[in-house]
Amino acid sequence: MVTDRPDFTESTVVVPPGSVQLEAGVTRTAASGGDGAVVSGPELLVRIGVARIAELRLGAPTWTRSGGPAPRGAWDHRWSLGT
């Protein structure tokens, strides 16, 4: 099994045909200077093997919350589908 986590670069290996791989996680980045932290999740990616050299990749929206004196959050509404 080769995952794309914990970074956001794509794996050089595809999921085997007929396989499904689910990847999810939470990232917390601490800010310097006491400005709080940024937390994002669920960072969901589903990889579906369709052929020896091809896979479908489905990515779901991610919630990002910034801390600090005025905390705020927002959805990253990007969906992706690729081969």
Side-chain angles (χ1 to χ4, degrees), residues 25-77:
V26 175
T27 300
R28 180 181 184 278
T29 305
S32 61
D35 291 334
V38 176
V39 179
S40 62
E43 300 174 349
L44 181 64
L45 175 64
V46 179
R47 299 169 64 192
I48 304 166
V50 294
R52 189 176 61 80
I53 60 170
E55 68 182 24
L56 291 176
R57 301 170 61 87
L58 304 170
T62 296
W63 173 258
T64 301
R65 182 179 187 281
S66 300
R72 62 188 185 281
W75 281 102
D76 172 1
H77 290 285

Side-chain angles (χ1 to χ4, degrees), residues 12-33:
T12 58
V13 179
V14 299
V15 176
S19 299
V20 176
Q21 181 171 308
L22 174 68
E23 301 178 26
V26 175
T27 300
R28 180 181 184 278
T29 305
S32 61

